[in-house]
Structure formats: C-alpha cells, structure tokens
Amino acid sequence: MTVNDDSFTNWKNREEIAESMIPIIGKLHRERDVTVLLHSRSLVNKSVVSILKTHRFARQITGVELSVTETLPYLRALTTLDLGPSQIDIGMLAATHRGDDRGLTVEAFTAEAVAGATGADKIESRSGRDVVLYGFGRIGRLVARLLIEKAGSGNGLRLRAVVVRRGGAQDIVKRASLLRRDSIHGQFQGTITVDEASSTIFANGNAIKVIYANDPSEVDYTAYGIKDAVLIDNTGIWRDREGLSQHLRPGIDKVVLTAPGKGDVPNIVHGVNHDMIKPDEQILSCASCTTNAIVPPLKAMADEYGVLRGHVETVHSFTNDQNLLDNYHKADRRGRSAPLNMVITETGAASAVAKALPDLDAPITGSSIRVPVPDVSIAILSLRLGRETTREEVLGYLRNVSLTSALKRQIDFTTAPDAVSSDFMGSRHASIVDAGATKVDGDNAILYLWYDNEFGYSCQVVRVVQHVTGVEYPTYPAPAV
C-alpha cells in the first residue's frame, strides 16, 4: 500500500468516526439541552467535514492537531451521565485529561470534569423565553438565523415575532427570501415557508409572526401570545433610555439595542462586563461591532501587562449607511461611493471602551476607514504597555487566552501566514488575533484583530440575550479565570 493509499484510508476512517459523532451530538442537544463544543466551537448541526475541519483547526491554537479518535471516547462518556443543560467542550476535556497525571480513565475524568452539570448540581431545563426582533435588516436576519439554530430542545430562546414597516406587495415573501439567501453568509441551513394569510414565516418549524407597525406604540404583543419577551432593536433609531423605553409595551420585559447606547444605557460587551448587568435592568446596549472586537483583547492585555494609552484604527467594510454612488449624505464623507472609495470616518468604539472597562485608566483614541469590501473588518490596536515584553511572550499569552480563558468565546487566534479578510466570514468570535501581523517592541504592542462585523457581532448579541434571560448555560470544563 502506498503512502497516498494510507492517507486516504486514514481519512475515510476519520470520516466514519465523525459520522458516528453526529447522532450523539444531536441527541444530547435535543434531549438534554447540552451543546457539545470543540475549543469553544459548537459541533451541533455540523457536517462530517465540518467536524473534521474543526478538529484540525486545534493545531492553530495548541500546535497539535486533534483527532476525532481522541475526542470520541469523551463524547461517548457524556452519554452515560445524568447531564443537565450545559455546554461541554470535548476538546478541552481531551487536553486537560492529557495533562492530568492521576491515571483516571476517560469515563472517570469526564464525570469529574463535568460534575457541576450532573446529579443534584445540574440546572433544570427552563421553559422557553420569547424573543422579538424590531427591524429585520443585516443584523436582524443574522440574529434570527442564530436564534433558530439554537432553538434546540425548545427550552431556550424562542423567536416569536419580527416587527417591520410594511414594504408593499409580497412584503413577507421578500423578507423570507432575504432570510433564506444571503450574498455574504450563504444559504439558510434548513427550510423556510411562508403563510401570507397569517403573516407567518416558518423556519425549521419555528413560527415567526411578522407584525407590521410604524412605531412601537402601535403594538400590543400580548395579542400575539407573546409574554415576558426580550425585544432586540436592530433599527438604531432610538439609542437613549427615553427612546428605547417606548418598546416596553405589554408582553415586552427587556430591550436590547444592537448599536452603541447613549446616556445612561449600559453598553455591554459579552465576556467582559455582562456580569455587571443588574437583574432589574430593562434597557441595555450591545455596543458596536468594533467595540466588541477591541474590548476583549484590550482587557486581556491590560490584565497581564497594564495599558497606559492606546489608539485603534479600524479598516471597516462598508455598510448600508453609505451610498452606492456619490450622493447627498448628512455626514461629510459617507456620501461618496462606498464600493469605489476608501472613506475616512469616525468610530465611537474608543469612547465606548470607558463604559465597558471603567477601571481602565488609560486614554484610548480611535478613527475608522471604510473600504470596498462587504463584510469583515480589521482593528489595528496600538498600545503603550505598563511593562516591557516580547513578541513571543505576547503571542503565547494571547494564544492561551483564546484557548483556556473566560474570553475564549470572544478572542480567537490564527497563525495562518496567508490570512485575508474573507477567511473570517462566519467567525463566531468577537475578534481574531493575527499572530503573523503582531508587532511588539519593548513596551509598545500593535495587535491586528480581524472581525466579522456582521456575524461575529450578532453572536455577541445573542450571548447577551442568553445571559439576561438565564439560558446562558455554564461551560465545562470551567475556563481559567
């Protein structure tokens, strides 16, 4: 047998193993509300090839490729346990077990590592929490996809309705089509049908009522059977407490804004300050995509090295706020053609840092350049540190943060030498550290942070909603603080 034959046989064997993992992962998710992760990446509803690629990606973080033959025993061990709702990272189980010198079996080690999700300690499944989307643009439709994907056992978040202004003939059909097909993010994973008579979109069995209204005061959500819902405002029309309070109508309990909040509206970056949300807070903001991209790595660097000052320059994909061709715009430069120009503009991300990191006593400035790509941006974060360090130390530290820390869902890490923006479309992290571009000279560090300003940000929004509704289940093994 040739080397090529050996390689192909090995691949087919791994395909077979990955195929056997799919029903186990699906059953845990549907019946026990358990999400199986691999180094913080969900394996739920993934194909054979996706599972294998996710395992292979581990080499970018740990330096060693992770095989399905290593993780399958841990997955099987989970099926023998009385698990409650949780997120369980089989990549971390394998990695921590490998470093454990007690000689425990896979079954014994797994039972110990996830003990908080079993027996008397486990969380009981909760009834689903209603969610309403106010606005159905780029972020609204991506959040809808994520909510439908995460419906799982039905005990989590339930997308019940979308509120929009009527757009004319076949409005609901056209909106369903935009949910079904996306030029950047591809096809919806599942089936979508429309019942025009009842103004309902059915997506993977989820009935989503389309409510037509010109402003919040026109809607009584209880008339649609909606109660204690979280409303996600994707319009950005109202950004202060007074304006957003208009959404607190019958049936709505909390309002989450997908834009930077003004005044005393808390700006939340999940992973950094979501634990500071007061239980009785009804109105909050998820800040901006750029704020979510820079604040987690900024916190990580401040915790380890101290930060005396910083500047962030975002090279940002163009957005719907800009014009396709030169035309009037209230901003100075955004009226110029977005697909034909680099456009210098402002960013509120730097000033928003103070809200998310109030203990960071360092001036942070920022500016932005919009460029002719439709999605994925990069933030160049230049920092003056509190002590001198080396490039190797910083990269080693950030690699570990992306793998084992409480920020591992926010910060990703890549060593790919040929990485470009399109490689990060669909990333679920708030930002990805580009190791090859990182520069360190004494107490000066420059981090290059890629981020999918649409999908990665939408993932952060959903995480905040999961947290405030109590369906953000604990992760095992517990990440390092």
Side-chain angles (χ1 to χ4, degrees):
M1 184 177 286
T2 67
V3 173
N4 286 340
D5 288 337
D6 284 342
S7 177
F8 185 66
T9 299
N10 179 263
W11 170 261
K12 300 301 286 185
N13 288 339
R14 286 187 290 141
E15 273 191 322
E16 185 177 0
I17 293 170
E19 199 169 65
S20 73
M21 298 173 84
I22 292 174
I24 302 174
I25 294 167
K27 190 172 183 179
L28 285 169
H29 188 53
R30 287 189 307 274
E31 297 184 2
R32 305 193 195 181
D33 225 356
V34 173
T35 299
V36 177
L37 310 173
L38 190 105
H39 288 314
S40 77
R41 288 166 167 78
S42 174
L43 296 182
V44 176
N45 291 328
K46 294 298 186 289
S47 67
V48 168
V49 172
S50 292
I51 290 173
L52 291 174
K53 286 181 69 175
T54 305
H55 278 74
R56 183 164 172 74
F57 184 81
R59 78 193 192 284
Q60 298 233 22
I61 302 173
T62 64
V64 179
E65 185 171 341
L66 187 61
S67 172
V68 287
T69 59
E70 294 178 72
T71 57
L72 180 60
Y74 299 94
L75 184 60
R76 285 177 171 162
L78 294 177
T79 65
T80 67
L81 302 174
D82 180 25
L83 291 169
S86 55
Q87 300 186 103
I88 299 178
D89 194 319
I90 57 175
M92 285 301 297
L93 279 173
T96 52
H97 190 198
R98 198 182 302 126
D100 189 90
D101 59 4
R102 293 175 295 164
L104 296 177
T105 64
V106 167
E107 292 75 17
F109 183 84
T110 300
E112 179 183 272
V114 304
T118 61
D121 294 327
K122 71 179 181 182
I123 297 172
E124 294 301 324
S125 293
R126 304 179 177 93
S127 60
R129 187 70 175 270
D130 291 351
V131 178
V132 173
L133 296 179
Y134 198 97
F136 207 45
R138 298 295 302 152
I139 300 302
R141 292 195 297 273
L142 290 177
V143 169
R145 285 187 175 201
L146 286 165
L147 292 172
I148 294 163
E149 171 195 302
K150 293 177 181 295
S153 64
N155 295 320
L157 302 175
R158 301 180 303 189
L159 176 57
R160 295 292 308 281
V162 172
V163 183
V164 292
R165 293 178 176 174
R166 188 179 293 275
Q170 289 196 306
D171 180 276
I172 190 172
V173 173
K174 292 177 180 178
R175 294 185 189 278
S177 182
L178 286 169
L179 178 62
R180 183 183 293 114
R181 288 180 286 271
D182 189 284
S183 300
I184 294 169
H185 301 285
Q187 298 275 345
F188 173 80
Q189 296 301 304
T191 62
I192 293 176
T193 58
V194 174
D195 183 349
E196 290 187 81
S198 64
S199 291
T200 305
I201 296 173
F202 294 93
N204 289 357
N206 295 267
I208 306 164
K209 185 74 174 180
V210 178
I211 301 170
Y212 293 105
N214 292 315
D215 66 72
S217 65
E218 297 181 6
V219 189
D220 177 356
Y221 295 96
T222 59
Y224 303 96
I226 296 168
K227 59 181 181 180
D228 297 326
V230 176
L231 182 145
I232 305 174
D233 185 327
N234 307 289
T235 68
I237 296 173
W238 306 278
R239 292 171 57 186
D240 60 13
R241 187 172 294 275
E242 180 181 2
L244 292 168
S245 293
Q246 298 177 75
H247 290 305
L248 294 173
R249 306 279 299 155
I252 302 300
D253 179 55
K254 294 181 185 294
V255 179
V256 174
L257 172 66
T258 62
K262 294 182 177 180
D264 67 342
V265 175
N267 279 249
I268 304 301
V269 175
H270 190 275
V272 174
N273 67 337
H274 67 276
D275 288 337
M276 303 300 291
I277 301 173
K278 297 176 181 177
D280 60 349
E281 179 61 74
Q282 288 188 288
I283 296 173
L284 54 93
S285 156
C286 290
S288 71
C289 56
T290 302
T291 303
N292 276 265
I294 66 171
V295 166
L298 181 57
K299 172 177 168 48
M301 293 297 287
D303 288 347
E304 180 67 17
Y305 301 102
V307 172
L308 303 182
R309 64 173 178 268
H311 176 81
V312 60
E313 189 78 33
T314 71
V315 182
H316 199 291
S317 58
F318 63 78
T319 69
N320 273 334
D321 178 61
Q322 296 172 256
N323 292 332
L324 284 174
L325 297 173
D326 290 3
N327 207 345
Y328 173 81
H329 195 291
K330 63 182 180 180
D332 290 336
R333 304 183 201 241
R334 293 194 190 189
R336 303 300 297 277
S337 172
L340 297 178
N341 295 290
M342 294 189 292
V343 179
I344 298 174
T345 186
E346 73 283 344
T347 176
S351 58
V353 168
K355 278 193 170 185
L357 289 174
D359 295 334
L360 181 67
D361 187 20
I364 306 292
T365 58
S367 54
S368 177
I369 303 172
R370 298 287 180 90
V371 294
V373 294
D375 187 32
V376 181
S377 305
I378 189 167
I380 305 167
L381 185 60
S382 180
L383 302 174
R384 175 76 181 276
L385 304 177
R387 66 176 175 88
E388 292 193 355
T389 182
T390 64
R391 182 173 181 272
E392 291 71 23
E393 182 188 346
V394 168
L395 290 178
Y397 168 65
L398 291 175
R399 179 187 287 109
N400 288 334
V401 166
S402 74
L403 178 62
T404 63
S405 81
L407 291 171
K408 65 181 182 179
R409 285 200 290 170
Q410 283 69 45
I411 300 175
D412 203 359
F413 189 91
T414 182
T415 58
D418 56 350
V420 293
S421 61
S422 61
D423 296 333
F424 304 103
M425 284 185 181
S427 169
R428 294 176 182 243
H429 289 78
S431 61
I432 305 99
V433 176
D434 191 314
T438 300
K439 294 173 173 58
V440 179
D441 181 12
D443 60 357
N444 290 298
I446 302 176
L447 307 183
Y448 286 74
L449 308 166
W450 298 102
Y451 58 109
D452 185 328
N453 48 278
E454 293 186 338
F455 195 71
Y457 175 68
S458 297
C459 290
Q460 283 286 90
V461 171
V462 171
R463 289 170 190 140
V464 170
V465 175
Q466 288 176 316
H467 177 74
V468 299
T469 56
V471 299
E472 184 184 33
Y473 299 134
T475 299
Y476 299 94
V481 178

